[in-house]
Amino acid sequence: MAAPHDDMFSFCVDPGKVSACVDVRFIDNIKGKGLFAKKSIKKGDTIFLERPLVSAQFLWNSLYKYRACEYCLRALETAEENARRLSGIPGLSLPNPELCRVRPEKHQACPQCQVMYCSSECRQAASDQYHRVLCLGPSQEDPDHPINKLKDAWRSMHYPPETSSIMLMARMVAIVKQAKDKAHWQKLFSHFCSRTGNEEEEIAHKLLGEKFRGQLALLHSFFKAALYDDHLSRWFTPEGFRSLFALVGTNGQGIGTSSLSQWVHACDAVALPAQQKEQLDSFIDQMYKDIEKETGDFLNCEGSGLFLLQSSCNHSCIPNTEASFPDNNFLLQLSALNDINPGEEICISYLDCCQRDRSRHSRHKTLRENYLFVCSCPKCVSQMDELDMTSEEEEEEEGEAEGETEGDEIEDEMTDV
């Protein structure tokens, strides 16, 4: 019951090589499909590089002047421009500016609407794929344009920290509208994990938040007014829109790019005399302190995308792979965190390092609330028969952060065990 080879591997950089290394298999009706190793994979190996079917920058991120290529999300600011804006220090000068990989001379704007691209290749790719449908031309700043009204409605319901974008759904529609083979693209989108009606409702409410859970119908009306197409009429029914909304919420992979981060990594790789290295490290440390004081944690150009092969990776609290974006664009790299044997499932983690170190109860609570499933990875299974009581300090922190009483947490804990 593996998905068709041509579909699942078609957006990888080297499909033939990747398909010889990994395989997509159906596991069961609960987990659905999974990704498995077909041969030995060594720690540190790149398992695959994959482009998304579709991606989009988050709307608030764009509004706050995190300049990114409209197509590939590559950061458009130079490292120095980025550092100056984030730190609030206009005269900040970075040492070794030649290590910045941003090339402003290659940037191009859409002649009609003036949105920016990192290269002529990205501008052409966007035009060929979806931008002819979504280009607003001289109406780019018109608040009454249906697409701008849709964006404003989304921003009014989905505040930072952002986890998705209505424009990811808009681009899905635009891709099918522009495609010669519309059935092919609809088939590609159908490979992503689907949910039951109740689960779709929960995911939609999670994306919008408790305050706006009743606003899905309003968002649907703006979406339909801006983008309706007869070929996709099922996506524009209330049920179809909810399903599309849940598809993006379930399968969307966060993308982060930063010219400054790239510059820092390049500095780390430069061989310098000890004293110069110490001075450079001290400069970078102070720069990040200034940025934290001025901007906080919002450092990157951020968006999300739908990746066919990566979406088949299931969660584990002890993942054997991790995804990253080393090229400062939307190209996803999946790398092995440890040796992987043939036949072993390839897993990522939906939790960050701090969350993975917490109690099983806390991990399960986060996964239930955000992803609507109960984890059965080896780490969780091994803890099933343990009491797994969190410390008083952790319970207190969780209670303060999540607004729960200690009694509720203990009741949930005993139910889980």
Side-chain angles (χ1 to χ4, degrees):
M1 295 183 69
H5 171 281
D6 289 344
D7 285 349
M8 297 307 295
F9 297 92
S10 57
F11 283 77
C12 291
V13 170
D14 191 340
K17 182 179 178 181
V18 178
S19 63
C21 178
V22 298
D23 189 26
V24 179
R25 303 177 196 167
F26 179 79
I27 300 173
D28 56 41
N29 290 328
I30 297 175
K31 292 186 75 173
K33 61 192 175 188
L35 190 66
F36 293 83
K38 293 172 69 174
K39 62 180 185 180
S40 296
I41 299 170
K42 296 297 182 184
K43 179 180 179 180
D45 283 356
T46 296
I47 301 172
F48 61 78
L49 296 168
E50 185 180 21
R51 294 177 292 109
L53 272 75
V54 60
S55 62
Q57 186 178 7
F58 293 150
L59 290 176
W60 279 108
N61 189 260
S62 175
L63 192 67
Y64 284 144
K65 303 189 187 312
Y66 288 78
R67 293 169 46 218
C69 174
E70 200 263 353
Y71 178 69
C72 78
L73 294 180
R74 185 184 300 277
L76 297 178
E77 289 179 304
T78 65
E80 190 165 86
E81 289 172 337
N82 194 209
R84 288 175 175 176
R85 178 173 61 81
L86 294 177
S87 68
I89 304 175
L92 183 65
S93 295
L94 299 188
N96 307 106
E98 72 281 357
L99 296 179
C100 176
R101 299 182 192 175
V102 176
R103 297 292 175 261
E105 68 275 8
K106 292 187 175 183
H107 297 174
Q108 288 197 7
C110 168
Q112 281 75 44
C113 68
Q114 302 304 308
V115 298
M116 292 298 298
Y117 300 92
C118 67
S119 65
S120 59
E121 291 82 4
C122 277
R123 183 176 68 81
Q124 190 60 52
S127 178
D128 292 344
Q129 213 174 97
Y130 60 81
H131 190 64
R132 292 199 301 274
V133 167
L134 296 178
C135 181
L136 303 189
S139 300
Q140 180 70 13
E141 304 299 329
D142 180 4
D144 292 324
H145 191 284
I147 289 180
N148 283 334
K149 290 173 78 171
L150 175 65
K151 290 180 179 180
D152 287 342
W154 175 257
R155 276 192 292 258
S156 70
M157 300 177 196
H158 192 76
Y159 291 97
E162 298 170 273
T163 57
S164 190
S165 173
I166 195 72
M167 293 311 293
L168 199 61
M169 297 165 60
R171 288 189 185 181
M172 290 171 69
V173 171
I175 285 172
V176 176
K177 276 189 173 186
Q178 281 193 206
K180 292 181 179 178
D181 189 349
K182 301 182 188 301
H184 172 68
W185 278 95
Q186 288 178 274
K187 181 183 174 186
L188 288 176
F189 289 129
S190 74
H191 285 313
F192 289 98
C193 172
S194 58
R195 298 283 189 163
T196 65
N198 288 339
E199 288 176 328
E200 288 175 351
E201 194 76 25
E202 282 192 61
I203 292 168
H205 292 160
K206 181 65 185 176
L207 281 177
L208 292 178
E210 187 64 32
K211 183 178 179 182
F212 301 105
R213 63 184 300 155
Q215 299 296 303
L216 191 63
L218 178 63
L219 201 60
H220 169 239
S221 67
F222 281 118
F223 189 77
K224 189 173 182 179
L227 297 160
Y228 182 80
D229 184 83
D230 286 335
H231 290 98
L232 292 168
S233 57
R234 63 184 179 84
W235 281 4
F236 290 93
T237 65
E239 297 77 19
F241 178 72
R242 186 185 64 191
S243 295
L244 194 62
F245 205 78
L247 183 152
V248 167
T250 303
N251 298 280
Q253 164 67 47
I255 300 171
T257 64
S258 168
S259 55
L260 183 60
S261 176
Q262 266 207 324
W263 174 82
V264 171
H265 286 305
C267 287
D268 289 340
V270 173
L272 293 172
Q275 186 175 0
Q276 290 184 37
K277 183 68 172 173
E278 187 177 339
Q279 290 174 343
L280 181 58
D281 288 345
S282 177
F283 174 88
I284 292 172
D285 287 345
Q286 184 58 50
M287 177 188 69
Y288 275 120
K289 288 177 183 176
D290 293 335
I291 288 174
E292 184 177 13
K293 183 179 178 181
E294 177 72 17
T295 309
D297 296 329
F298 295 98
L299 305 183
N300 299 334
C301 297
E302 295 180 348
S304 63
L306 298 178
F307 296 83
L308 258 183
L309 191 58
Q310 182 269 348
S311 72
S312 65
C313 295
N314 287 312
H315 163 83
S316 173
C317 295
I318 43 172
N320 51 15
T321 64
E322 66 177 355
S324 61
F325 299 90
D327 290 340
N328 193 34
N329 63 5
F330 63 18
L331 190 65
L332 180 146
Q333 175 178 295
L334 192 76
S335 304
L337 293 173
N338 46 260
D339 292 348
I340 301 173
N341 297 318
E344 187 176 345
E345 185 175 6
I346 293 170
C347 295
I348 57 175
S349 181
Y350 302 164
L351 305 175
D352 61 33
C353 294
C354 293
Q355 290 171 325
R356 293 201 298 271
D357 287 339
R358 303 193 78 172
S359 70
R360 173 181 155 273
H361 164 66
S362 182
R363 298 196 308 272
H364 277 213
K365 187 174 186 302
T366 300
L367 291 169
R368 281 198 305 268
E369 289 183 351
N370 292 284
Y371 302 100
L372 306 183
F373 77 94
V374 175
C375 183
S376 59
C377 74
K379 181 176 181 178
C380 290
V381 170
S382 70
Q383 295 174 340
M384 285 290 286
D385 295 325
E386 299 175 9
L387 190 56
D388 190 25
M389 294 292 287
T390 52
S391 68
E392 279 188 27
E393 291 80 12
E394 186 177 354
E395 290 288 353
E396 205 169 317
E397 289 173 10
E398 289 178 9
E400 290 174 1
E402 299 162 12
E404 290 195 10
T405 65
E406 187 175 343
D408 288 336
E409 298 236 339
I410 293 173
E411 183 180 346
D412 286 346
E413 172 66 17
M414 299 307 293
T415 303
D416 284 350
V417 174

